[in-house]
Amino acid sequence: MHTRDTALSTDQKALQLNLDKYKYGSIVEIGAGQEVARRFFQAGAAAGTIAKTMSAYDMAVSDDIYGHVDRYVSRARLLQMLEKEFDQVVARLAHLRPKNTTFFAYAATVTARSFKQKNECHGWVGIRLQLHPGAAPSDVILHVRMLDNDNAQQAEALGILGVNLIHGAFFQHHHPEWVVEGLADSLGSERIEVDLIHFSGPYFEEVDNRLMNLHLIRSWLTRAVVFNPAGEMVVPGELFHRKPVMVIRGSFKPVTCVNVDMTTAGLKQFSQLAAVNEDEIVSLAEITMNSLISGDRIDGTDFLARIELLASQGYTVMISDYVRFFRLRAYLRRYTQKPIGIVLSVRDFDSLFDEKYYEGLEGGILEAFGKLFPDNTHVYVYPSRPRGGGAELVTLDNVQVPAKLRHLLAHLMDNDKLLAVQPLDDSHLHIDATEVLTGLRRGRGAWEQDVPEPVAQRIIDGRLLGYDTA
């Protein structure tokens, strides 16, 4: 198996492109200086690569060049820029350059740290390029967040990222995972976050963008990615902006009737909070990365099956590597000050109140709960009934926790941090996802009653999650 060459510095990547007389194009940057272009000029021999560089800071000038757009830092503006610049460089130069030239346009529209305010620093960055002379172009576009504290450092990080993207798209396109991994070269995860990537065009037809976005987490470029019910990637900051958010965490292997009732019942109670407008709630099914990893690898087929089954029930899906709940809450708090609700089963108390789960935290379980509940965050606890006719219902009121933590549980209940959820349909309380998975691997059977009908049908038709392989 080949491994990616990680030895090249940013300047070496820029120089390698500059010395390749068959790669030629434009670099246009709005919002943080001309850092990508500067990198190519600094490396030397830039005349071999760059046809044009440009910035357009005045909105009227920008509109005159690219056409009107509602938001200047947006995917729509980026695509306008890529289309205009790529078409222009080909039209002007295709008949003048050597026949085996591959043309490209790199574009970025960002809002960096401003002189006057502490704004959200983010942007859209992309490249449109020919991967074969005369070929129809392919695109790689990203949404980025800049994490440095001052404008100059943010601009420098964007310059490095841009060189990494152009170099990766040209030289690693046959390994899209390498394009993703290469974005962080010379940067590290503390300077830039990439929370969305999208490959398209003739050379990327086989690429599954859902897996590429999962690879962003694996490559430490982000901690979470989000898919809408159509399976498309969405920018978390846009989705959660000033919205109340309700999360149900699970492995969803597969999504069961009890998951559906937990979500519906939790939403019903969450929407009764005074600060929550029911129409604005973003409802999420969240899967942690560790539930996708088998050994040291991710089973892509298994992941895509879970995403597809959740999407069939209308879920927005978030994949994160936040094992602890308080880190998930902190992530959502970046984007919204509205209430956050987390629905979990009383069965999860085994880990929630397990002090070993919080090893490594200076304040242990007290620190974890302190960080989970500082403001406007509620955990909704859904009951459970072990399988068997006479089994007692386990609820928030009678769940057993270690004796020394009973006062902590009582404190959280008395202050409405932990709230009991009333099921809307209590006929599903016995369902255990592990038993459902075991059952479906034997083929058709009683498990079909424990999942929504369309989910059962998709599992059977698509032979998903190991259906009928036992």
Side-chain angles (χ1 to χ4, degrees):
M1 181 178 160
H2 298 295
T3 54
R4 186 176 70 86
D5 179 9
T6 56
L8 293 180
S9 69
T10 310
D11 288 343
Q12 285 171 325
K13 287 183 179 184
L15 185 61
Q16 186 180 2
L17 282 156
N18 283 347
L19 295 176
D20 187 328
K21 62 183 180 183
Y22 298 117
K23 293 172 175 54
Y24 204 67
S26 297
I27 296 176
V28 292
E29 301 167 81
I30 299 175
Q34 289 191 285
E35 285 300 306
V36 178
R38 185 178 71 78
R39 285 276 173 181
F40 282 95
F41 288 127
Q42 188 178 290
T49 292
I50 294 178
K52 179 180 96 174
T53 71
M54 187 175 72
S55 289
Y57 278 79
D58 188 285
M59 290 178 186
V61 173
S62 185
D63 279 354
D64 188 57
I65 298 168
Y66 300 116
H68 177 69
V69 74
D70 290 333
R71 289 168 59 205
Y72 288 88
V73 180
S74 65
R75 189 174 190 158
R77 173 56 102 205
L78 177 74
L79 291 172
Q80 284 177 329
M81 293 167 73
L82 289 174
E83 183 169 1
K84 176 88 174 182
E85 297 300 332
F86 180 81
D87 290 352
Q88 201 172 70
V89 77
V90 172
R92 286 176 175 170
L93 298 172
H95 60 291
L96 300 173
R97 300 280 307 172
K99 283 280 180 267
N100 37 357
T101 299
T102 49
F103 291 102
F104 74 91
Y106 170 90
T109 174
V110 304
T111 175
R113 174 69 72 227
S114 91
F115 188 68
K116 296 176 183 166
Q117 64 194 57
K118 294 275 188 188
N119 51 319
E120 163 75 353
C121 303
H122 73 110
W124 287 89
V125 170
I127 182 168
R128 177 164 293 183
L129 75 166
Q130 293 173 326
L131 291 169
H132 191 272
S138 297
D139 288 3
V140 186
I141 65 173
L142 336 165
H143 181 262
V144 304
R145 294 178 71 242
M146 292 89 81
L147 308 179
D148 287 312
N149 281 324
D150 71 73
N151 183 282
Q153 287 180 306
Q154 290 184 0
E156 183 199 42
L158 283 166
I160 296 168
L161 179 80
V163 174
N164 287 341
L165 175 59
I166 298 170
H167 187 273
F170 269 120
F171 293 110
Q172 316 281 5
H173 60 84
H174 44 291
H175 289 295
E177 293 88 353
W178 292 3
V179 179
V180 172
E181 291 163 23
L183 295 173
D185 286 355
S186 305
L187 278 174
S189 57
E190 65 286 344
R191 299 193 65 188
I192 284 276
E193 178 182 5
V194 181
D195 55 17
L196 181 150
I197 190 164
H198 189 265
F199 293 82
S200 60
Y203 281 77
F204 298 126
E205 286 163 338
E206 302 299 311
V207 172
D208 191 309
N209 280 299
R210 295 169 298 179
L211 292 175
M212 290 304 110
N213 280 267
L214 198 62
H215 204 61
L216 290 174
I217 302 177
R218 292 282 278 168
S219 304
W220 295 99
L221 281 154
T222 189
R223 303 295 298 274
V225 293
V226 182
F227 306 90
N228 68 17
E232 300 158 341
M233 290 68 60
V234 291
V235 176
E238 292 178 6
L239 181 69
F240 302 135
H241 184 61
R242 295 182 178 170
K243 298 271 186 22
V245 182
M246 182 82 178
V247 186
I248 175 171
R249 167 173 276 191
S251 61
F252 304 106
K253 191 174 179 176
V255 55
T256 65
C257 294
V258 79
N259 296 141
V260 174
D261 195 65
M262 278 175 75
T263 306
T264 313
L267 278 170
K268 184 179 176 186
Q269 277 179 243
F270 185 59
S271 64
Q272 288 162 8
L273 292 176
V276 171
N277 178 340
E278 190 173 358
D279 298 334
E280 291 185 338
I281 298 172
V282 177
S283 173
L284 280 183
E286 188 252 1
I287 303 174
T288 51
M289 281 293 283
N290 62 359
S291 85
L292 294 172
I293 295 170
S294 159
D296 192 37
R297 65 180 200 90
I298 286 178
D299 183 338
T301 310
D302 171 86
F303 160 68
L304 294 174
R306 289 195 243 179
I307 291 275
E308 183 185 325
L309 294 172
L310 283 162
S312 76
Q313 294 299 295
Y315 282 95
T316 296
V317 182
M318 176 174 171
I319 311 294
S320 86
D321 73 345
Y322 295 118
V323 176
R324 293 167 172 154
F325 283 103
F326 71 84
R327 296 205 190 281
L328 174 63
R329 185 211 67 89
Y331 172 82
L332 295 170
R333 268 286 166 258
R334 281 185 195 170
Y335 304 114
T336 182
Q337 294 309 307
K338 293 284 179 76
I340 293 171
I342 298 170
V343 192
L344 54 82
S345 168
V346 73
R347 297 180 187 195
D348 294 323
F349 271 43
D350 285 350
S351 56
L352 193 67
F353 280 85
D354 180 354
E355 292 190 89
K356 287 203 289 287
Y357 190 60
Y358 306 104
E359 282 174 359
L361 282 179
E362 196 176 353
I365 193 169
L366 288 177
E367 180 181 341
F369 280 134
K371 287 179 172 176
L372 178 57
F373 294 115
D375 58 352
N376 236 348
T377 302
H378 304 274
V379 170
Y380 295 86
V381 182
Y382 188 87
S384 171
R385 176 179 284 121
R387 194 180 287 280
E392 185 190 4
L393 189 67
V394 183
T395 68
L396 179 59
D397 291 320
N398 66 9
V399 64
Q400 296 300 304
V401 299
K404 62 181 178 178
L405 297 176
R406 281 181 201 147
H407 291 298
L408 176 58
L409 174 60
H411 170 78
L412 294 170
M413 290 170 63
D414 290 345
N415 288 278
D416 291 336
K417 301 300 187 186
L418 291 175
L419 299 162
V421 177
Q422 301 307 314
L424 301 178
D425 181 348
D426 61 8
S427 67
H428 302 309
L429 294 177
H430 64 280
I431 294 174
D432 182 310
T434 311
E435 292 175 9
V436 174
L437 186 63
T438 304
L440 72 84
R441 287 181 170 167
R442 294 195 191 107
R444 301 200 63 155
W447 66 269
E448 293 173 52
Q449 309 308 312
D450 293 343
V451 301
E453 196 177 332
V455 169
Q457 202 55 54
R458 279 173 180 260
I459 289 170
I460 294 162
D461 293 345
R463 303 184 72 79
L464 304 178
L465 302 176
Y467 170 75
D468 199 20
T469 53

